[in-house]
Amino acid sequence: MSQPIHPHRIVPVAIIDDATHAVPLARALSAGGLPLIEVTLRTPAALDAIRSIRAECPEVLVGAGTVLTALQAREALAAGAMFGVSPGLNADVVRAARDAGLFFMPGVMTPSDVEAALALDCHLLKFFPAVPAGGLAMLHALAGPYAHTGVQFVPLGGVNAENMSDYLALPSVAAIGGSWICDRTLVREQRWPEITQLCLTAAERIPSIS
Ligand code: 3PG
């Protein structure tokens, strides 16, 4: 199962309150050069939002975030999610996603979490909550002992336009993510051009790979 997140280097995380906002939001991201969205399963609208994006925006990689149960992993896949993400590591959820055919990125914050993830054969891990957990220094130290395993991290939680390039410069970081691009107020108020602009600004801050 290939993982589709890495090449974009930025994972916009969205909390969608109204499923009719999903398609214009996905199009706003696409217009800003970021055809990727993680729709968190935190609202009743989330699965419908995923369904609509998958049906109407074929160019957009849509995934489900905050996947906390095996049932949610299966529901997300059935709704059209192309990847799943969780804030923590729950082996039942990882196995259920894998068995169903859904690429899954669990969250980690400690060496024990990383080792549990490796035991489940997960090599792309959400580092969460990145900034409160110790930020760059913590991630650098956490990644060190596992570099030879090929594990890569996607820090989220307090990552934003101001600090994203510092994280992306770390060799262990495949991508970063955050909620600042799909700001909940901007989405509620349907301020799509501003979301497109946030994508363009973020894209300018991706360090070039030498
Ligand atoms: C989340 O689960 O909310 C994400 O990891 C985003 O965190 P952020 O709101 O700090 O960007």
Side-chain angles (χ1 to χ4, degrees):
M1 201 181 320
S2 66
Q3 70 83 13
I5 304 167
H6 178 159
H8 295 280
R9 305 222 73 202
I10 303 174
V11 183
V13 174
I15 300 174
I16 297 181
D17 295 296
D18 178 339
T20 66
H21 294 161
V23 167
L25 172 59
R27 289 189 177 138
L29 296 172
S30 228
L34 261 185
L36 171 71
I37 183 168
E38 176 190 323
V39 178
T40 57
L41 302 186
R42 299 182 202 174
T43 63
L47 288 174
D48 279 341
I50 291 170
R51 218 170 272 122
S52 313
I53 294 168
R54 190 65 198 274
E56 295 185 46
C57 308
E59 79 285 7
V60 173
L61 285 169
V62 56
T66 325
V67 180
L68 302 181
T69 67
L71 177 61
Q72 283 182 317
R74 291 189 286 269
E75 286 176 341
L77 182 69
M82 299 155 94
F83 62 90
V85 183
S86 56
L89 180 94
N90 178 325
D92 289 343
V93 178
V94 172
R95 287 196 197 99
R98 177 169 309 148
D99 290 351
L102 180 68
F103 177 84
F104 202 79
M105 180 171 74
V108 299
M109 199 188 77
T110 67
S112 298
D113 293 342
V114 175
E115 289 173 31
L118 290 174
L120 289 162
D121 206 23
C122 293
H123 289 84
L124 187 72
L125 308 177
K126 171 173 176 169
F127 174 54
F128 179 80
V131 172
L136 288 172
M138 172 68 177
L139 182 51
H140 183 68
L142 182 67
Y146 305 108
H148 66 287
T149 67
V151 75
Q152 292 253 286
F153 296 91
V154 181
L156 291 102
V159 179
N160 53 40
E162 278 65 53
N163 59 16
M164 57 170 276
S165 49
D166 296 333
Y167 284 92
L168 284 172
L170 291 180
S172 61
V173 170
I176 57 94
S179 62
W180 86 94
I181 292 175
C182 304
D183 175 88
R184 198 168 183 174
T185 303
L186 293 183
V187 175
R188 277 187 181 142
E189 296 178 1
Q190 304 186 63
R191 289 155 60 183
W192 312 128
E194 286 169 72
I195 290 174
T196 296
Q197 187 54 51
L198 286 169
C199 293
L200 295 170
T201 303
E204 283 169 10
R205 297 182 183 180
I206 299 175
S208 52
I209 300 167
S210 52

